[in-house]
Amino acid sequence: MASTHGVGSAQVLVASNRGPVSYAVREDGSLHAKRGGGGLVSGLSAIGPDAGALWVCSALGDGDREAVRRGVGEAGVRMLDIPADVHADAYNGIANSVLWFVHHMIYQTPLEPVFDAEFRRQWASYESYNRAFAEALAEEAGEGAAVLVQDYHLCLVPGMLRALRPDLRISHFSHTPWAPVDYFALLPDDIRSQLLHGMLAADRLGFLTRRWADAFTACAAKFAEGPWQTLVDVHGLGADADFLRARSHEADVEERITALRAEIGTAPEGAARKAIVRVDRTELSKNIVRGLLAYRELLDTRPEWRERVVHVAFAYPSRQDLAVYRDYMVEVQRVAEEINERYGTPDWTPVLLHLKDDFARSLAAYRLADVALVNPIRDGMNLVAKEMPVVSDAGCALVLSREAGAFWELGDEAFVVNPYDILETARALHDALTMGPGERAERTKRLAVAATALPPAQWFLEQLQALRDVQPS
Ligand code: F6P
């Protein structure tokens, strides 16, 4: 097969912006490696070390760049040292400030978006960042290899890679929602077309729910010129029950449970207070502020809950290079403090807000949750909604946004809310808090079954198999 590059040896390649490992430079100059988790990590470990797998990712910070320069790395991972300014334009400028905003529909449209010369400059960086991935994949892939490209950061890769290596089987998976036609139409015509054609060059496109897959197909039907034959399919990533159940019973989690119980405290009657738990990255789409407003409404209109409930809100920093994310975090803190000032008593802090990322403490909160609050404006799936019922000790009632991908799998057993409707969300919190223990345990069981229907390793293997089954055209 004709190729502009030497053919490499990898048989299964994954490409994503964030890789499975990141590096920090210690004070003594040595490098410290930190490993991440998630569906792709489980999937690649499931195919075993001899499968000829390679993960191509981007160096994200100074530690990663230093690791690339020193030639330090993990077997099976190739980190691309894309120039920091190009990466910043592509990741912060285009992926997180344009594509994320379009697919989550979170622009304040009277003033944004503005597609000007600065946008075009950043778009050129997005193109060269995608090209760097396509070239590395073309270099590394063996004849006929399967390449699984991930997410909105890399929409142009399938098209660029196809041009370099027509022999490859290529898929692209979107971990986000996809915008409806009228919202996708905000993008300039040529950009829309590049994004769609970039993705349609893949053999298969994967989405988390039928809703997002249908939205993509509608955009492609409306805006993509010419015929296309790409398969569009749904793979609803589930929670990793085995890992979560084992990890959430380790000693560090038990310690945090004790600490968290003390923070939550006891109601005037002496019983433990109820806990409404949320755990999120402080992400604009997660709707943390409206969650707090609904909790305030609950305390306001149902005074019987005062001193008897605590809102445990873990809001971990995310994308702090972007001012709008920093401002959002400040707003979350402001509203939480306002509630604590207004309703708090010497023995009761109504909102326990923690901003420092601590996985063990998140699992502790999952175990203690009476109510799980998952109310995003819009979300590809939302794995927290799936994880909490799996981990919770006594069962938790789920208050779930109808705009989360998880709604399609868990909606029947949840208290479903319109994420913009504060009064409805407050009512749902009340209903969830008052659900009897028997029904709560039963519903939690059914939620956990639905949440674990497609564990991460199977989710990955299913896509790999489907890609290998594609008939070469
Ligand atoms: O949640 C959707 C998602 O696209 C994930 O696939 C991905 O890990 C994350 O968002 C990106 O977040 P970050 O900008 O922190 O890498």
Side-chain angles (χ1 to χ4, degrees), residues 19 34 40 59 63-64 68 101 104-105 110 113 116 148 176 184 201 215 228 237 267 302 334 376 389 432 473:
K34 201 173 150 209
L40 295 166
D64 288 357
V68 178
F101 274 56
H104 289 85
M105 303 167 66
D116 55 4
L148 297 97
T176 59
F184 194 67
W228 47 275
L237 177 62
R302 312 255 186 190
R334 191 190 67 74
S473 47

Side-chain angles (χ1 to χ4, degrees), residues 28 61 71 78 122 220 298 323 397 438:
D28 65 1
R78 176 166 168 196
Q122 294 184 333
L298 174 82

Side-chain angles (χ1 to χ4, degrees), residues 24-96:
V25 186
R26 289 205 184 97
E27 270 184 16
D28 65 1
S30 64
L31 284 171
H32 171 69
K34 201 173 150 209
R35 276 160 204 83
L40 295 166
V41 172
S42 316
L44 279 180
S45 52
I47 61 173
D50 303 326
L54 180 73
W55 191 322
V56 178
C57 57
S58 179
L60 298 181
D62 294 342
D64 288 357
R65 289 178 206 290
E66 195 48 36
V68 178
R69 275 170 213 144
R70 289 188 203 174
V72 172
E74 305 241 327
V77 178
R78 176 166 168 196
M79 226 176 223
L80 305 179
D81 188 4
I82 294 163
D85 55 337
V86 173
H87 185 266
D89 284 346
Y91 173 70
N92 287 321
I94 299 297
N96 289 341

Side-chain angles (χ1 to χ4, degrees), residues 264 267 273-276 295 298-299 305-311 348-350 433:
I264 293 169
R273 290 189 175 111
K274 300 247 185 203
I276 299 172
Y295 178 63
L298 174 82
L299 298 180
W305 285 116
R306 295 185 199 161
E307 306 221 44
R308 292 183 180 81
V309 66
V310 168
H311 184 15
W348 173 53
T349 308
L433 285 165

Side-chain angles (χ1 to χ4, degrees), residues 18 91 96 100 151-153 175-176 281 319:
R18 193 177 289 279
Y91 173 70
N96 289 341
W100 184 273
D151 246 337
Y152 58 103
H153 313 93
H175 296 257
T176 59
R281 292 186 290 119
R319 303 182 188 166

Side-chain angles (χ1 to χ4, degrees), residues 92-173:
N92 287 321
I94 299 297
N96 289 341
S97 299
V98 177
L99 302 180
W100 184 273
F101 274 56
V102 168
H103 291 314
H104 289 85
M105 303 167 66
I106 52 177
Y107 278 124
Q108 306 211 11
T109 50
L111 293 175
E112 52 179 17
V114 172
F115 296 121
D116 55 4
E118 174 62 6
F119 164 76
R120 291 286 165 177
R121 195 189 59 70
Q122 294 184 333
W123 183 258
S125 292
Y126 183 77
E127 289 175 318
S128 40
Y129 157 86
N130 273 254
R131 187 161 300 111
F133 270 83
E135 286 174 354
L137 292 163
E139 233 169 71
E140 301 282 359
E143 191 70 36
V147 184
L148 297 97
V149 180
Q150 309 298 313
D151 246 337
Y152 58 103
H153 313 93
L154 301 177
C155 290
L156 308 182
V157 167
M160 292 172 170
L161 183 56
R162 177 75 68 213
L164 294 169
R165 290 287 305 274
D167 60 302
L168 299 178
R169 283 153 202 228
I170 306 171
S171 67
H172 181 280
F173 193 87

